[in-house]
C-alpha cells in the first residue's frame, strides 16, 4: 500500500497575465482556486504519481501544452511499474505536443517542461525534462534529485536564471530527440519531496527553500510560506509547488 500526503498550489505570479503551469496528483489535474493550497491523502495499491508541468512562456499555447503533457502522463500512470514506463510516457507526451501543434508555426511549437515523481512501495522514481525541479528532504538535508536542462553559466560563479532551457517537451519548430533524466531511490516514512516550477526556484534561493521545509511547520503552512516568499521576491513567473510526504 502506498500512503502519501500531498499539498499543492499553483499561482500565476505577480507579472504574468495567465497561469501556464499544470499540477497533477494521483490522476487529478489542477483545477483549483489560484493560490489556495489543496491537500490530498492518497492510499493506493497502485503507484502514486505527482507532476508539475511548466508551459513555455512566449510560445504558442503554453497552458495547453502543459495540460496536454500532464494528461498523457497521468493517463499512463497506473502502469508505472518501473522507470522505463515513466520515460515512455514522457516520450509519448512529447510526440503528442508536436502532433497537436502542427508545422510550421510562426511563433514556434507549443512546449513544456515536466518533472514527475512516482511512489511505488518503498521506492520512488523522479523523471524530468527541462528545469522544473524535484527535491528530497531527509534528516534535515535537502538534495536536488532532478537535473536542470539549462545553458552553462557564461562566467564563473552562481548561475543567474536565464529563462532558457536546452531540452523540453515540444517547443521546437521540428521534433528533436529528448533524453529524460531519471533518479531512483528507496523511501522511508517521513521523507518529503518538493516538486516545483522554475517560477519558484528562480526567485527563492535554495537555502530559503530548505529553511521553509525544515522549519517544522505543517505541510499546508510550508507550501503557503513558499508561495508567499516567492511572491514577495518578485513573483515574475507562474509558481507551482507540490509537497509530497511519505506516510508509510
Amino acid at each position: 500500500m502506498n500512503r502519501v500526503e500531498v499539498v499543492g498550489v499553483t499561482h500565476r505570479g505577480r507579472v504574468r497575465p495567465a497561469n501556464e503551469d499544470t499540477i497533477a496528483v494521483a490522476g487529478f489535474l489542477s483545477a483549483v482556486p489560484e493560490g489556495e493550497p489543496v491537500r490530498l491523502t492518497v492510499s493506493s495499491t497502485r503507484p502514486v504519481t505527482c507532476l508539475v508541468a511548466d508551459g513555455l512562456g512566449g510560445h504558442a499555447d503554453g497552458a495547453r501544452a502543459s495540460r496536454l503533457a500532464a494528461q498523457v502522463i497521468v493517463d499512463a500512470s497506473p502502469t508505472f511499474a518501473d522507470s522505463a514506463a515513466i520515460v515512455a510516457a514522457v516520450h509519448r507526451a512529447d510526440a503528442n505536443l508536436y502532433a497537436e501543434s502542427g508545422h510550421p508555426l510562426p511563433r514556434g511549437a507549443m512546449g513544456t517542461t515536466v518533472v514527475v515523481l512516482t511512489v511505488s512501495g518503498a521506492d520512488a522514481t523522479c523523471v524530468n525534462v527541462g528545469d522544473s525541479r524535484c527535491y528530497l528532504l531527509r534528516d534535515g538535508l535537502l538534495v536536488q534529485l532532478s537535473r536542470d536542462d539549462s545553458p552553462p553559466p557564461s562566467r564563473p560563479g552562481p548561475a543567474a536564471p536565464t529563462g532558457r532551457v536546452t531540452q523540453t517537451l515540444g517547443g521546437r519548430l521540428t521534433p528533436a530527440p529528448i533524453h529524460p533524466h531519471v533518479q531512483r531511490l528507496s523511501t522511508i516514512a517521513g521523507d518529503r519531496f518538493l516538486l516545483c516550477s522554475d517560477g519558484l526556484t528562480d526567485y527563492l534561493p535554495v537555502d530559503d527553500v530548505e529553511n521553509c521545509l525544515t522549519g517544522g511547520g505543517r505541510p499546508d503552512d510550508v507550501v503557503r510560506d513558499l508561495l508567499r516568499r516567492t511572491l514577495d521576491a518578485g513573483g515574475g513567473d507562474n509558481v507551482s509547488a507540490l509537497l509530497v510526504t511519505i506516510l508509510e
Side-chain angles (χ1 to χ4, degrees):
M1 178 69 70
N2 303 301
R3 293 195 67 242
V4 301
E5 180 184 65
V6 186
V7 177
V9 71
T10 185
H11 194 286
R12 68 182 176 88
R14 298 200 182 280
V15 176
R16 296 291 177 89
N19 191 348
E20 296 183 318
D21 288 358
T22 297
I23 59 176
V25 178
F28 297 94
L29 271 67
S30 56
V32 297
E34 187 172 87
E36 181 60 33
V38 173
R39 178 165 54 89
L40 296 172
T41 300
V42 183
S43 297
S44 176
T45 57
R46 291 181 174 180
V48 176
T49 295
C50 304
L51 69 82
V52 171
D54 180 357
L56 300 184
H59 287 236
D61 296 328
R64 181 168 168 241
S66 69
R67 191 166 185 87
L68 176 61
Q71 188 67 67
V72 170
I73 296 169
V74 162
D75 287 348
S77 62
T79 67
F80 287 172
D82 53 31
S83 60
I86 306 172
V87 169
V90 170
H91 279 284
R92 284 198 297 276
D94 179 56
N96 279 20
L97 288 181
Y98 285 110
E100 286 288 323
S101 61
H103 301 287
L105 284 178
R107 291 194 301 146
M110 60 180 180
T112 185
T113 70
V114 70
V115 59
V116 183
L117 177 72
T118 295
V119 178
S120 182
D123 298 313
T125 303
C126 170
V127 176
N128 84 285
V129 174
D131 57 0
S132 293
R133 291 182 180 177
C134 178
Y135 293 96
L136 167 65
L137 179 71
R138 178 183 290 176
D139 296 330
L141 179 64
L142 189 68
V143 177
Q144 183 176 335
L145 299 179
S146 57
R147 179 178 170 184
D148 292 345
D149 289 309
S150 301
S154 57
R155 58 183 181 274
T162 65
R164 296 185 293 115
V165 287
T166 57
Q167 179 176 233
T168 62
L169 305 187
R172 298 177 184 270
L173 291 177
T174 57
I178 60 168
H179 305 282
H181 307 291
V182 179
Q183 180 71 43
R184 296 180 294 269
L185 69 156
S186 298
T187 63
I188 59 175
D191 279 349
R192 281 186 170 182
F193 296 89
L194 175 67
L195 283 69
C196 58
S197 60
D198 70 331
L200 187 150
T201 52
D202 280 354
Y203 290 87
L204 205 58
V206 67
D207 288 347
D208 288 355
V209 175
E210 187 170 23
N211 289 338
C212 287
L213 294 176
T214 57
R218 296 170 56 249
D220 307 58
D221 295 330
V222 170
V223 170
R224 285 191 177 91
D225 194 25
L226 286 169
L227 177 60
R228 178 188 60 78
R229 292 188 187 210
T230 304
L231 296 178
D232 287 349
D237 198 355
N238 305 149
V239 185
S240 294
L242 292 174
L243 182 59
V244 182
T245 304
I246 304 298
L247 300 181
E248 290 183 3

